Amino acid sequence: MVMQTTRASHDIPAFMPGWLDILALDEGDPMNGLVRAEQLKQLGRAMPFSAAAVLLLGLTLAVIFRHSAAFPVLVVWLGVLAAAVAFGLHKVRLRRAANPDSVPARTIWLSAARALCVGSMWAALFPLLIGFADPQSRAVMSGLHIAMISAGAFAFAAVPLAALLFAGVLVVSLIGMMVALGASWSSFVLIAIVSALVARGVIAHARAIVVHVHAHERLRARGEMIATLLDEYETAGADWLWETDACGLCTHLSPKFAEVIGRPAAEIVGHPLFDPQRSQARNKEELARAIGLKQRFRHIQVGPVVGEEQRWWSLSGTPRFDLLGQFAGFSGIGSDVTEQRRAREQIERMATSDSLTGLANRTAIRSHIQAALDAVSGGGSGGCAVMMIDLDRFKGVNDTLGHSVGDELLREVARRLEGDLRHGGAVSRLGGDEFAVVLSGVNASAARGVGARLVETLSEPYSIRGSAIRIGASIGIAMGVADGATVDDILRAADLALYRAKDDGRGVVRLYEPALHHDAEERRALELALRLAMLENQLSLMFQPIIDLGDGAVVGFEALLRWKHPTLGQVSPARFIPIAEDLGLMDTIGEWVIRTACAWAARWPTNIGISVNLSPSQLVNARLPNVVLSALATNGISPGRLELEVTENIFLNEDGGTRGALDALARLGVRIGLDDFGTGYSSLGYLRTTVFDTIKIDRCFVREAVDANSQSAAIVRHIVGLAASLGMETVAEGAETVEELNAVKALGCGRVQGYFTGRPMLAEDATALVAPARREARAA
Ligand code: C2E
Ligand code: MG
Ligand code: MG
């Protein structure tokens, strides 16, 4: 067997049968059984015609020899022939009724034997009759002999063995007859040509049958396989089948598909399968185009609305054409990919959004910025602004109220930002308490206006889980493309502007300016240097006297931190302390301050107090009480001499950790002072409920209190009255002139701390200032 693997148009490789395949007698090959069945089927089909032809030939002979002595023999012979033909026809009828798929080789042998018998009868008849024929009849008989060879070969052609035996025996008898009659050589040539043509015809016909059977069988096997697969599809698989007619109306669909559509299959058949009006737009067009062009399409996703729900189907389809080449509709498969699609969308969303707030994340905002920059470069109207927003005092909320409240606060911040910018502007959370906003089509002053509005919005009090929380926001703005033409550049510029906003006291909006680059370098250098400052003993304390306004005596000192940078010299605490706080260094540095201040205070008379400033992170550090106790004990100082100063900034909320920490300190017996009063939230409420021993009135009131009719003077008077009623001490901070001193004295302040009465001084000088001998001399 030779299999040709060239691709025919129908996709089935053509089969080229050999001799043995044509004879189909080998029982070992199951295909031969099918071939034999087909051979016999075709033989049966040709049989009535062959029988008629044979009988006609017989009758012709009977007419020719009607007056001959051979007539009775011929009649008998014809009778036998008719019986044989009738038997053959009967056999054929039986076989046709049984219509077997496969037939044993024996049947072919029997057919061949029958053919040989019939052939032999004819082969014997012609030589017998020729003796009785006149010369004219002989010529007719030769013609009939040849006709018999052809007719018989045609009749048995489907079974080549039978056809060849039948024709073969007749050819032999014909040759024998011709020899006996002394025919010319041309007669033999004619016989040879006829024999060759007949043999060739028989073999070609037989070969065609074998090829047909093989092709048919392969198609049937393939069809069966496809049917099985389709069956699998429809019943077990996740996919379903659909079919439409030339008008796009559904002609078939899997029950599973009907289930997905949510309507019985019978209701859908006869209607358009895909309702473009209710499908998602982009893919709808793609599908319509493919269907319109009668083109094969694969995995087109359409988004139909089933019930009220948006679903997603993946569809593949192939156009069908009828025998005339007319378009007959589409057949295809589909599957519901809604879940896969949702999962993919979820992953994409996760990759581009912030899981806590649902805002765009850093990756996504970068694309927004890029698009905004492209729009500006492309000549779009106005510029674009990138805003960096940092929440002020957020860390305090996290530290004091816990991370879950912190998270809730961040979500609320996100809601406010989105609410404020719903008419324009992309909002994202970059991480921590940092947010970014991209505004398109704005100039710098408009961006600054939006920034100021956002600061206001974000600074409104928050109410989270029963706590009233107050935070602020600092904003840095950079304009594209002037401040940065690439995403990285503009983000860096906005970042620098944000640093500036924080350095400038927070709660403000700052626009980028080129000088900020220099500041940023400086800050980075400071950060690095600050980490070494402690280790390299660059930190020191100065002490500023606090004077009693009644008798002018020094009643204490405030310890003020100093940093002498090896090359920059003295760095202001207003500059480096926020950096140290940001770097998380203030807990360590603050502990050193407490211990060092106490160590110096130990050398002073016991009536001289020592005030130490606390950063917010120190206050909520659980170690603080132990540090304080240890510093007091090591230096033998009574707790009442130590005053710890906190600023109003610690009052982010009206309850929680701050108050608890203050109470814990108060229980140690140390004093608590409220520093810079008036610069923070100016909420007098907490004064009534918190255990402050001292209120330090900020310098800004002191300066203006010189005018007795000023609002500041009224406020100071009010605070002093309130403090007195609550048993608190008041200290006026930063009195620089005698007028300021007198003014605060007149307003009732008990104490003063300012340049006029004494600048921050070295510890040794402070010690000398309060040395007993000196005090006595001063008293004298
Ligand atoms: P503060 O606690 O309010 O300290 C008073 C500040 O006012 C000091 O500034 C002091 O030098 C300054 N001052 C005093 N009298 C006058 C005056 O008559 N006129 C003017 N213009 N200023 C006056 P300094 O030393 O620069 O400290 C600034 C701030 O740094 C302090 O403000 C305090 O908040 C913080 N700080 C200083 N040392 C520490 C520390 O050890 N720990 C913490 N956490 N913060 C500290
Ligand atoms: Mg202070
Ligand atoms: Mg102060």
Side-chain angles (χ1 to χ4, degrees):
M1 252 187 225
V2 186
M3 294 284 277
Q4 253 190 9
T5 50
T6 49
R7 291 249 150 211
S9 60
H10 44 62
D11 235 3
I12 301 264
F15 170 64
M16 289 296 288
W19 265 103
L20 292 178
D21 300 315
I22 291 171
L23 292 176
L25 293 169
D26 179 8
E27 287 278 21
D29 185 348
M31 279 304 289
N32 285 342
L34 304 182
V35 172
R36 289 191 294 264
E38 181 63 24
Q39 286 177 339
L40 291 178
K41 210 179 286 167
Q42 295 210 12
L43 182 70
R45 244 178 257 144
M47 192 58 111
F49 304 101
S50 320
V54 164
L55 289 177
L56 198 66
L57 270 172
L59 285 177
T60 310
L61 284 175
V63 170
I64 293 172
F65 289 98
R66 64 185 179 282
H67 303 300
S68 149
F71 184 70
V73 179
L74 184 60
V75 169
V76 172
W77 186 94
L78 277 174
V80 174
L81 180 70
V85 167
F87 178 70
L89 283 173
H90 171 66
K91 276 282 199 201
V92 163
R93 225 187 1 262
L94 286 182
R95 203 176 307 119
R96 193 177 287 170
N99 192 22
D101 283 337
S102 180
V103 161
R106 193 170 45 87
T107 319
I108 294 294
W109 285 117
L110 283 174
S111 283
R114 270 196 293 276
L116 186 63
C117 284
V118 177
S120 300
M121 280 172 69
W122 282 103
L125 183 68
F126 280 106
L128 184 84
L129 289 181
I130 205 95
F132 299 92
D134 53 32
Q136 195 189 346
S137 301
R138 276 183 196 163
V140 174
M141 276 186 66
S142 300
L144 285 176
H145 203 141
I146 289 180
M148 195 63 223
I149 291 173
S150 309
F154 167 73
F156 291 108
V159 182
L161 186 62
L164 293 176
L165 284 175
F166 179 89
V169 74
L170 274 172
V171 166
V172 170
S173 89
L174 182 60
I175 292 171
M177 217 169 73
M178 288 299 157
V179 171
L181 292 176
S184 67
W185 63 269
S186 57
S187 304
F188 295 101
V189 170
L190 184 69
I191 292 170
I193 290 173
V194 168
S195 303
L197 286 175
V198 164
R200 194 176 173 282
V202 166
I203 291 166
H205 184 63
R207 176 172 284 144
I209 289 177
V210 177
V211 169
H212 165 79
V213 168
H214 275 257
H216 183 267
E217 180 54 19
R218 273 201 302 281
L219 275 177
R220 191 191 58 74
R222 176 188 269 205
E224 250 174 33
M225 193 177 76
I226 291 172
T228 312
L229 285 178
L230 293 184
D231 206 39
E232 278 277 290
Y233 242 95
E234 296 209 286
T235 52
D239 296 352
W240 8 267
L241 303 172
W242 56 268
E243 214 169 78
T244 58
D245 63 12
C247 305
L249 304 179
C250 175
T251 51
H252 166 83
L253 85 168
S254 307
K256 210 165 237 165
F257 194 2
E259 215 173 90
V260 164
I261 296 178
R263 281 157 54 201
E267 223 176 77
I268 302 162
V269 168
H271 292 91
L273 195 50
F274 312 111
D275 182 357
Q277 299 311 318
R278 303 195 73 198
S279 280
Q280 211 263 346
R282 188 174 60 85
N283 298 321
K284 175 182 78 183
E285 279 161 19
E286 202 181 335
L287 181 66
R289 195 171 47 246
I291 288 178
L293 294 174
K294 303 181 177 63
Q295 275 177 352
R296 185 176 175 163
F297 56 90
R298 285 167 67 85
H299 305 307
I300 293 187
Q301 287 199 3
V302 291
V305 178
V306 178
E308 290 304 305
E309 196 190 358
Q310 163 84 65
R311 305 291 302 180
W312 287 97
W313 300 340
S314 167
L315 299 175
S316 301
T318 312
R320 289 192 323 277
F321 296 93
D322 61 18
L323 290 175
L324 300 173
Q326 297 291 315
F327 173 65
F330 271 91
S331 304
I333 57 170
S335 54
D336 191 307
V337 292
T338 312
E339 298 313 319
Q340 291 100 300
R341 196 174 162 119
R342 281 186 189 152
R344 206 183 61 226
E345 282 171 358
Q346 172 75 11
I347 290 168
E348 275 167 13
R349 246 199 317 280
M350 277 159 67
T352 56
S353 73
D354 170 51
S355 56
L356 179 69
T357 59
L359 293 180
N361 65 8
R362 188 180 282 273
T363 317
I365 202 71
R366 288 180 70 91
S367 330
H368 281 296
I369 296 172
Q370 187 63 60
L373 287 175
D374 290 347
V376 174
S377 311
S381 63
C384 72
V386 174
M387 277 186 197
M388 288 279 215
I389 305 173
D390 190 89
L391 302 182
D392 300 334
R393 300 180 297 278
F394 173 75
K395 193 171 174 303
V397 174
N398 247 356
D399 290 346
T400 55
L401 296 178
H403 287 271
S404 60
V405 172
D407 287 352
E408 193 55 50
L409 178 60
L410 288 173
R411 278 194 280 268
E412 179 58 28
V413 166
R415 270 194 289 276
R416 288 191 189 181
L417 285 173
E418 280 189 311
D420 194 284
L421 294 167
R422 65 186 171 279
H423 299 306
V427 189
S428 78
R429 176 171 170 243
L430 301 178
D433 61 347
E434 236 184 27
F435 294 80
V437 166
V438 184
L439 301 173
S440 294
V442 290
N443 58 22
S445 78
R448 188 197 285 273
V450 174
R453 197 179 71 214
L454 289 180
V455 167
E456 222 168 86
T457 305
L458 297 180
S459 304
E460 292 287 313
Y462 296 78
S463 170
I464 291 171
R465 299 197 196 163
S467 296
I469 298 175
R470 311 187 68 140
I471 55 166
S474 306
I475 296 185
I477 301 177
M479 298 300 299
V481 291
D483 301 340
T486 67
V487 174
D488 284 326
D489 285 353
I490 199 165
L491 276 173
R492 188 170 145 66
D495 224 12
L496 292 176
L498 174 62
Y499 271 129
R500 166 49 60 89
K502 289 204 252 181
D503 280 355
D504 286 355
R506 298 167 189 250
V508 292
V509 179
R510 289 292 175 262
L511 284 168
Y512 169 82
E513 43 192 281
L516 293 181
H517 265 290
H518 174 254
D519 294 359
E521 298 297 326
E522 198 181 285
R523 183 183 159 112
R524 222 186 334 273
L526 279 186
E527 282 178 7
L528 286 176
L530 199 50
R531 289 183 191 276
L532 294 174
M534 270 281 283
L535 302 172
E536 299 190 348
N537 292 326
Q538 292 167 11
L539 300 181
S540 64
L541 291 182
M542 297 282 268
F543 294 88
Q544 187 177 27
I546 301 168
I547 309 294
D548 187 296
L549 279 171
D551 60 4
V554 176
V555 289
F557 291 95
E558 178 175 7
L560 295 165
L561 188 58
R562 294 291 175 261
W563 175 27
K564 190 169 183 208
H565 186 277
T567 53
L568 296 174
Q570 288 293 342
V571 184
S572 157
R575 176 127 179 79
F576 79 82
I577 285 176
I579 299 177
E581 282 174 348
D582 283 351
L583 295 179
L585 295 174
M586 268 325 279
D587 283 358
T588 319
I589 294 175
E591 182 175 340
W592 176 84
V593 171
I594 293 171
R595 292 185 187 279
T596 310
C598 286
W600 280 107
R603 305 181 190 188
W604 304 336
T606 51
N607 61 333
I608 302 295
I610 174 72
S611 300
V612 174
N613 295 287
L614 285 186
S615 284
S617 70
Q618 278 179 278
L619 181 65
V620 293
N621 187 332
R623 284 189 63 238
L624 183 66
N626 285 340
V627 169
V628 169
L629 274 183
S630 152
L632 293 172
T634 310
N635 298 294
I637 295 179
S638 69
R641 285 179 67 194
L642 176 63
E643 182 160 289
L644 296 173
E645 293 185 6
V646 293
T647 61
E648 289 166 291
N649 288 353
I650 58 164
F651 290 100
L652 302 169
N653 54 83
E654 303 293 322
D655 58 6
T658 306
R659 202 169 293 269
L662 288 175
D663 288 344
L665 290 176
R667 279 198 296 277
L668 299 180
V670 298
R671 294 170 62 86
I672 312 238
L674 181 60
D675 205 353
D676 304 340
F677 182 79
T679 56
Y681 301 112
S682 305
S683 158
L684 294 177
Y686 53 74
L687 282 184
R688 298 181 196 278
T689 52
T690 316
V691 279
F692 286 113
D693 300 285
T694 305
I695 299 175
K696 296 183 85 169
I697 300 164
D698 194 72
R699 174 168 157 66
C700 59
F701 294 102
V702 172
R703 212 167 39 213
E704 288 170 14
V706 176
D707 175 0
N709 297 321
S710 66
Q711 202 186 5
S712 290
I715 291 172
V716 174
R717 200 177 295 117
H718 182 72
I719 296 166
V720 168
L722 184 71
S725 70
L726 295 169
M728 298 179 197
E729 195 65 68
T730 42
V731 178
E733 277 191 302
E736 292 182 355
T737 62
V738 68
E739 289 80 16
E740 287 170 7
L741 182 83
N742 289 335
V744 294
K745 192 174 176 179
L747 289 169
C749 283
R751 292 172 177 181
V752 70
Q753 175 189 347
Y755 290 169
F756 184 73
T757 47
R759 288 187 172 254
M761 58 186 76
L762 293 174
E764 292 77 6
D765 295 341
T767 307
L769 187 64
V770 292
R774 180 87 179 260
R775 281 169 60 86
E776 276 154 26
R778 275 173 49 144

